[in-house]
Amino acid sequence: MAHPLDDPGKSFRGLFANRGEAEVMRGMTQHLTTGERVAWYRHRRGLSQEVLAGLVGRTADWLGKAENNRIELDRLSVIRALAHALDVSMGDLIGEPTLVEWSKESGRGTLPALREALMDYRLLTPLIGAPADGEPPALDALRSDVGEVWDAYQGSRYGFAARQLPLLLADALLAVRAHSGTEREESNSLLALTYQGAAMVLGKLGENELAWIAADRGLAAAQQSGNNVITGSLFRSVTHCLLSTGRFETAVQLVNDAAGFLEPGLNDATPAYLSVYGTLFLTGSMAAARAEDRATTQAFLQEASTMAARLGSDANHMWTAFGPTNVAIHRVATAGELGDMQVAAELGPTVDTSALPVERRVRHNLEVARALSAWNRTDDALAMVLQAERIAPEQVRHHYMSRELVLGWVRGTRGRPTQSVADLADRLRVV
């Protein structure tokens, strides 16, 4: 199947001739591959292939193949370098959709309502008034509501979580302002976890700036709680936010600094403490891999493995899904980020994730699919994506990896793609 950019004499704008200019200006986030977005932004910047390739230490031939989907841009370290050279965000090149499909669970109040809640000035200071009137919720009820949102996140039910979070934030803030002493500390813990839930959901939906706001406020509330388990949990969310914006080295430094803060508590650590501490290193291993720092990647994975051994088995303390299996998942994921696709393709299918939360299982499937696709095992890769979609359609639709894989299969097929690929592309809204 010939691609319009294969013909060097064909103008780039001709590729979009049948699409409105306003639609092109929005980045065409759901209908272009990462390589095609690179080409579009390169033309907007007035750069030749030779110049952009030189800025990222590659050849013009390599860039031409990337822009024409002859090679996959499947490593975030490479995408970050291109984004930096083009003076755009990684999200501009990845093109994550933020439209949450309406459903019975989500209703018709999703991301805009959560955005409005996070940007309400009354939430910033008690000097101007409380965010809501009325009696504060009972802490037991608030704790249950927080758990419900986190369970929805781990179940990849983002629409439901986005719908619940604005109300939950208002309740948690009301509780903080109404209570004192130990009850206020507990309220701050629950407020911190609510902000963290918001940050995690927003990150999954591509709203990275809002996720940063939520994580920052959550960390401030965690410090007011006096609970180092909660504080450690929020460190993980801030690290995720740094990852999503391409600040990989800063994320690695944060993990080291946070570990130094938490390390004194390891001697008599509870299972929750071990889980938060170990998960922090798993997040750090992804940051190190994307920074192409192999030594730190392996060191972080080893530290997480040590904590998993101390824990003794897989668990889900503080919604971490931490344990030996999650460490194995991250060995596969970091191999992919480092470009070791053969390692990921061989190791990935051997990891049994069936006992883990949906979010972890689906993310692993996508990592394995990416590795299999890189080795031209397209049928096996498609099977992994379809399996993931059956259990978590929202997560698969919103993850850049699944959309990039499917777009690559569509673009790379001579003639018409198979019906199963075409149907999947239609469900993901990428064609």
Side-chain angles (χ1 to χ4, degrees):
M1 181 179 181
H3 191 279
L5 289 181
D6 289 344
D7 180 0
K10 188 176 181 69
S11 72
F12 182 83
R13 184 164 292 277
L15 175 63
F16 306 105
N18 63 334
R19 300 172 183 172
E21 180 67 14
E23 189 178 22
V24 173
M25 289 299 291
R26 286 194 295 271
M28 298 294 296
T29 57
Q30 291 179 263
H31 304 287
L32 297 184
T33 65
T34 298
E36 290 165 353
R37 291 187 196 94
V38 169
W40 191 81
Y41 282 110
R42 178 175 62 77
H43 277 261
R44 285 296 304 273
R45 294 301 189 197
L47 300 176
S48 67
Q49 286 185 336
E50 289 77 9
V51 170
L52 179 58
L55 290 173
V56 297
R58 302 279 181 154
T59 65
D61 179 64
W62 173 88
L63 182 59
K65 290 177 179 177
E67 291 182 347
N68 284 280
N69 304 308
R70 294 174 183 169
I71 59 175
E72 295 181 5
L73 288 173
D74 53 14
R75 296 176 62 196
L76 287 180
S77 59
V78 176
I79 295 171
R80 180 184 67 162
L82 287 163
H84 180 74
L86 291 166
D87 192 28
V88 298
S89 72
M90 281 205 318
D92 289 326
L93 297 186
I94 291 173
E96 295 173 302
T98 57
L99 179 67
V100 178
E101 299 291 345
W102 286 338
S103 67
K104 289 182 179 179
E105 279 202 327
S106 73
R108 297 195 174 192
T110 56
L111 276 184
L114 181 52
R115 182 182 295 111
E116 184 176 345
L118 286 172
M119 300 186 75
D120 186 345
Y121 71 89
R122 294 173 300 171
L123 306 186
L124 301 179
T125 173
L127 299 177
I128 311 178
D133 296 323
E135 292 294 320
L139 291 185
D140 285 345
L142 184 59
R143 192 178 302 110
S144 176
D145 291 343
V146 170
E148 185 179 38
V149 164
W150 270 96
D151 290 343
Y153 166 76
Q154 287 197 318
S156 302
R157 296 160 52 214
Y158 304 137
F160 173 81
R163 177 185 183 180
Q164 297 297 105
L165 278 162
L167 297 174
L168 187 55
L169 278 171
D171 280 349
L173 282 158
L174 193 58
V176 168
R177 292 174 181 178
H179 291 301
S180 60
T182 58
E183 288 187 335
R184 185 182 179 89
E185 290 177 349
E186 173 68 7
S187 297
N188 270 307
S189 292
L190 294 172
L191 176 61
L193 289 174
T194 302
Y195 274 126
Q196 184 180 9
M200 301 298 275
V201 170
L202 288 164
K204 289 291 186 183
L205 298 177
E207 288 278 4
N208 297 325
E209 288 78 13
L210 285 177
W212 175 265
I213 291 172
D216 176 67
R217 293 185 189 168
L219 185 56
Q223 292 170 3
Q224 293 296 318
S225 75
N227 185 329
N228 282 352
V229 171
I230 301 294
T231 300
S233 189
L234 267 296
F235 281 140
R236 172 168 62 112
S237 277
V238 175
T239 305
H240 273 296
C241 290
L242 292 171
L243 275 175
S244 66
T245 55
R247 299 177 65 188
F248 307 144
E249 293 83 3
T250 305
V252 169
Q253 185 59 53
L254 173 58
V255 170
N256 281 320
D257 291 342
F261 172 80
L262 295 170
E263 191 174 354
L266 288 178
N267 290 335
D268 56 351
T270 64
Y273 200 103
L274 290 174
S275 298
V276 165
Y277 187 82
T279 303
L280 183 64
F281 279 99
L282 291 183
T283 308
S285 72
M286 294 297 291
R290 291 174 186 175
E292 301 188 271
D293 183 345
R294 288 178 177 271
T296 301
T297 300
Q298 294 307 314
F300 281 2
L301 286 171
Q302 183 54 52
E303 186 68 17
S305 182
T306 299
M307 294 302 110
R310 282 187 61 178
L311 191 62
S313 62
D314 292 328
N316 195 27
H317 302 289
M318 294 295 297
W319 299 278
T320 58
F322 184 69
T325 303
N326 209 348
V327 175
I329 285 175
H330 280 77
R331 291 194 187 281
V332 174
T334 52
E337 293 295 345
L338 288 166
D340 300 332
M341 293 299 181
Q342 183 175 3
V343 173
E346 292 175 353
L347 178 60
T350 70
V351 181
D352 180 8
T353 63
S354 59
L356 295 189
V358 166
E359 185 274 333
R360 287 287 79 205
R361 291 158 54 196
V362 168
R363 178 57 190 271
H364 179 66
N365 268 38
L366 297 182
E367 293 285 359
V368 176
R370 173 175 67 165
L372 293 171
S373 183
W375 280 84
N376 295 317
R377 293 172 57 184
T378 305
D379 289 343
D380 293 335
L382 174 62
M384 296 295 287
V385 175
L386 289 174
Q387 181 187 58
E389 188 197 27
R390 282 193 292 273
I391 61 176
E394 285 187 74
Q395 184 175 353
V396 171
R397 178 175 176 258
H398 283 278
H399 204 284
Y400 83 92
M401 206 178 292
S402 51
R403 296 194 320 280
E404 191 71 13
L405 283 169
V406 174
L407 268 173
W409 297 334
V410 171
R411 297 281 200 271
T413 302
R414 292 186 178 277
R416 296 179 63 85
T418 64
Q419 192 62 49
S420 50
V421 169
D423 289 344
L424 178 58
D426 182 63
R427 292 194 298 275
L428 298 187
R429 310 286 199 273
V430 296
V431 294

